[in-house]
Amino acid sequence: MTDEDYPTDDPAVVTCGLPYPTGDLHIGHLRTYVSGDAFSRALRKLGQETVFVSGTDMHGTPIAVQAIEAGVGPLDLGLERHEQYADTFEEFSVAFDTYGHTDEETNVELTREFVGAWEDNDHVYETEIQVAYDPDADQWLPDRYVEGTCPYCGEHARGDECDEGCQRHLEPGEIEAPVSTITGNSAEYHERAHKFLRLSDFQEYLEGFINRMEGTNNAKNQPREWIEGGLEDFCITRDLDWGIDYPGEGGDDLVLYVWVDAPIEYVAATKQYSERVGTEEFDWASVWKDGDGEIIHVIGRDIIQHHTVFWPSMLAGADYAEPRAVCATGFVNIDGRGLSTSKNRAIWAAEYLDAGFHPDLLRYYLATASGFERDVNFSWAEFAQRVNTELADAVGNFAYRALLFANRNFDGTPQEVSLTDDVETEIAQAMDDYEDALNEYDLRTAGERAVALARFGNEYIQHNEPWNLDSEAAAPVMRDCVQLVKAVAVLLQPFLPEKTETLWAQLGEDGRVSDATIADCLQAPPAEFGEPAELFEKIEDDRVTELDEALAAKIEAASSEDADGEGMADETADDGIELEPLAEDDISFEEFQALDLRVGEVVEAEGIEGADDLARLEVDIGHEVRQIVAGIKQLHDLDALPGTRVVVVANMEPSELFGVESNGMVLAAGEDADLLTTHEDSEPGTKVM
RNA sequence: AGCGGGAUGGGAUAGCCAGGAGAUUCCGCCGGGCUCAUAACCCGGAGAUCGGUAGUUCAAAUCUACCUCCCGCUACCA
């Protein structure tokens, strides 16, 4: 690795985070893959030798669980999606040099080598932990094989995360009341030996690494809290059939955690590329082992820690080279709200293509809508506007009018005139800016600069009015214009690989614009070319309305299918607060009576130190004064509370919050915790019916 | 609450890290021009005291402190 500007003398390896094959790809995924693809193509434009790789992440419990549900083997399920992803990438011109998967032999071998190296370097230890076990199925229950209650929030939780409640990551053994997802029976916790990678060995290394790593700000800053706060060791094994066996003794029923073999696929895919083209042509080991290369990871911002903490440690522990940059793309929102696959608030890759739009249009939108790491909003209206004004009006129209005029009047590029100094300077400036932007990992600016050159072209042709000049006077103007078109084609190629290939052909160029480098921007265009065709079609307003309606309809359809009221925090601008849906299940009077509701009077209220929301209340409920913790610290003036009548659930089971015991629950409405009270003079302790 | 990331004309963005003429670009809007071109393109104009407050400085969008509001991650609203 170097810290020199791109292009460097060593090859670059650009990777994209591995897609996990649990569902279809949507525009959120595409943003990352398109960005990685455009960036790697752009590096090549600068003359940097670049290899672009990724693969499907085949292992792990979610796939194993899904496979059981679907009644197929995990490998078959994974492979089916793997093919599907490969096809989708091809459709969107996301052109990996190798797109492999983690169950291939190359990855399996390399993964074992990594683990072996960690053991040789004494970074691995074994310890006993509590693991869920299904006695009926006679099977261990890692991650998603077990469901139960989250020990932190009490919500239903699946395996390694509390996905319905507090979203917290759960370590093995933490989940309460564990139930096997295989048999539905209660699970037991048994002691079990597992392997850990000692991350604390890499503490100092990571502190240095995070300061020299390049890429987006979110990737450079987010891991600091973890690294500087001290690292917990990383459990690298699971009790599972589906995965890569832990090498060595006793490895028959322990497999490696999916996050071990997944990033190693970056190396494996590079190695496969090397084997395909020959190590003379490209040597994977010199990049990954000797460090003679620039490793650049393009990922979604949800897996920053994995790439800036776990992965560099894994590499360092096996004496591999470290990444030069981690670029984490932001998320894609739809119409200003978060994308949600469960609510079908998403644009699926297939859906976009079915709508009949060229893949390049979406590529351009996603790669240049905003800075790399910033979240991007997608709406059909915005999409149409950018396609119309930037691609059709600026780029397409300039290319078309310039080439058409040149073709009609000169049969191509006017000869025996040379490029004007001003235009040459303008193009050279664009090339410089483009290169600078890429060195900042700034695709947006690079793309914008190319479009700006097309705008310059429009101004230039307009000012010079070649249509009002005789042939001799028009020749230099058109010579300049054709050159500008060529430069635009070259610079935009990473974003619009197919459209610019078409334009390249219109220019009469023999080869492919994908093989052109930035220097070709100033090389003379062919003397002859035919009549051009329009590159981009505009998207009409009616079409946008239609697409918006279709999108709204499918979101509506999905929400009426499962009205579980999730995500009620969304705000609506027009009619105030969104109400939670009414409960569907009736309860009996007896069930209601199980609640012992009482009138209480607050006698004392104080904030709990260190907690923002929690307050400790002393509430008189007739028989006694109870200590109750309530999350109202910021929502009420605590000093004014004493004397206030409230309604209390008196038979709530005791709980400890922030070290303070709570013996009941104070009823309050909504997010503002509007306290329930009485309107007459009911004495404390009066039963509420 | 802690840690990150934001808050710049109607919308979207740049500049701020290396403080200096009331601020970039795109879209939208108003007026004009032109016709080679996809009713495109070109020119001109209106419009922001750069989230708030207080500082540092001859000078702050740009530095410092505090605060408010959004978005992530982490975390205690029983």
Side-chain angles (χ1 to χ4, degrees), chain A residues 202-256:
Chain A
F202 307 101
Q203 180 82 34
E204 262 182 59
Y205 166 72
L206 287 173
E207 283 168 11
F209 168 73
I210 201 65
N211 286 323
R212 61 181 172 267
M213 187 191 87
E214 299 177 3
T216 52
N217 289 322
N218 51 1
K220 288 193 280 192
N221 292 320
Q222 202 169 298
R224 297 199 122 87
E225 192 181 4
W226 276 32
I227 294 171
E228 285 155 15
L231 295 161
E232 291 186 23
D233 293 337
F234 183 40
C235 182
I236 55 170
T237 48
R238 290 293 187 272
D239 298 287
L240 192 67
D241 292 331
W242 180 232
I244 296 177
D245 289 338
Y246 193 87
E249 87 296 344
D252 50 351
D253 51 357
L254 270 189
V255 300
L256 286 158

Side-chain angles (χ1 to χ4, degrees), chain A residues 597-598 600-602 604 615-621 626-632 636 641 644-650 652 662-670 673-677:
Chain A
L597 299 177
R598 301 293 179 129
E601 184 175 310
V602 178
E604 202 181 312
R616 191 186 68 82
L617 306 178
E618 296 272 350
V619 183
D620 180 359
I621 56 169
R626 288 275 186 86
Q627 172 171 289
I628 297 175
V629 176
I632 58 170
H636 295 274
L641 273 183
T644 306
R645 292 278 164 82
V646 292
V647 178
V648 172
V649 182
M652 196 78 200
S662 180
N663 297 301
M665 179 170 170
V666 174
L667 296 184
D674 186 359
L675 290 171
L676 267 64
T677 187

Side-chain angles (χ1 to χ4, degrees), chain A residues 407-443:
Chain A
N407 165 262
R408 284 181 184 164
N409 297 282
F410 300 95
D411 296 319
T413 311
Q415 298 299 292
E416 285 157 25
V417 285
S418 56
L419 198 56
T420 312
D421 285 347
D422 286 353
V423 171
E424 183 173 345
T425 305
E426 181 66 28
I427 293 174
Q429 185 62 51
M431 290 159 62
D432 278 353
D433 293 345
Y434 190 82
E435 190 162 332
D436 289 347
L438 292 171
N439 269 289
E440 303 277 321
Y441 304 95
D442 186 352
L443 278 177

Side-chain angles (χ1 to χ4, degrees), chain A residues 101-118:
Chain A
H101 67 75
T102 56
D103 201 53
E104 288 178 90
E105 195 52 34
T106 312
N107 187 245
V108 173
E109 271 173 23
L110 267 172
T111 300
R112 294 207 174 107
E113 280 176 36
F114 266 80
V115 177
W118 300 336

Side-chain angles (χ1 to χ4, degrees), chain A residues 601-640:
Chain A
E601 184 175 310
V602 178
V603 289
E604 202 181 312
E606 60 174 15
I608 293 176
E609 200 174 332
D612 342 306
D613 294 333
L614 298 182
R616 191 186 68 82
L617 306 178
E618 296 272 350
V619 183
D620 180 359
I621 56 169
H623 300 275
E624 61 191 62
V625 175
R626 288 275 186 86
Q627 172 171 289
I628 297 175
V629 176
I632 58 170
K633 184 169 165 183
Q634 294 186 327
L635 303 166
H636 295 274
D637 179 3
L638 297 181
D639 293 335

Side-chain angles (χ1 to χ4, degrees), chain A residues 259-479:
Chain A
W259 268 109
V260 173
D261 59 89
I264 293 174
E265 172 65 18
Y266 298 146
V267 185
T270 314
K271 186 179 179 186
Q272 287 173 323
Y273 173 75
S274 237
E275 286 166 351
R276 203 169 68 240
V277 300
T279 46
E280 292 298 303
E281 171 79 18
F282 183 86
D283 182 11
W284 70 279
S286 74
V287 175
W288 285 102
K289 290 188 168 178
D290 305 335
D292 296 330
E294 323 291 349
I295 299 164
I296 301 156
H297 297 302
V298 177
I299 58 172
R301 70 167 154 84
D302 51 336
I303 50 174
I304 287 175
Q305 266 81 355
H306 295 94
H307 286 78
T308 52
V309 179
F310 296 150
W311 177 230
S313 302
M314 290 166 63
L315 288 166
D319 302 314
Y320 271 65
E322 70 184 25
R324 169 168 172 169
V326 173
C327 297
T329 55
F331 290 157
V332 176
N333 294 322
I334 308 246
D335 292 329
R337 301 168 77 181
L339 191 147
S340 164
T341 53
S342 61
K343 290 185 194 164
N344 212 4
R345 190 204 311 289
I347 311 286
W348 302 97
E351 202 171 45
Y352 171 85
L353 294 173
D354 287 346
F357 295 116
H358 191 103
D360 280 2
L361 307 183
L362 186 61
R363 283 179 61 100
Y364 176 76
Y365 185 100
L366 292 175
T368 64
S370 188
F372 220 116
E373 76 267 35
R374 307 217 21 191
D375 286 356
V376 153
N377 186 51
F378 182 91
S379 72
W380 286 113
E382 214 171 312
F383 173 75
Q385 190 184 60
R386 295 198 58 210
V387 167
N388 292 350
T389 61
E390 294 170 35
L391 295 181
D393 294 348
V395 175
N397 188 240
F398 171 61
Y400 183 60
R401 72 196 293 203
L403 296 191
L404 189 62
F405 194 92
N407 165 262
R408 284 181 184 164
N409 297 282
F410 300 95
D411 296 319
T413 311
Q415 298 299 292
E416 285 157 25
V417 285
S418 56
L419 198 56
T420 312
D421 285 347
D422 286 353
V423 171
E424 183 173 345
T425 305
E426 181 66 28
I427 293 174
Q429 185 62 51
M431 290 159 62
D432 278 353
D433 293 345
Y434 190 82
E435 190 162 332
D436 289 347
L438 292 171
N439 269 289
E440 303 277 321
Y441 304 95
D442 186 352
L443 278 177
R444 175 175 208 263
T445 299
E448 213 170 47
R449 194 60 186 86
V451 174
L453 197 59
R455 288 206 176 90
F456 172 84
N458 268 323
E459 290 168 33
Y460 188 77
I461 196 170
Q462 191 78 27
H463 282 149
N464 289 290
E465 300 183 328
W467 46 89
N468 289 334
L469 303 175
D470 61 32
S471 181
E472 195 185 344
V477 174
M478 293 320 295
R479 171 71 183 75

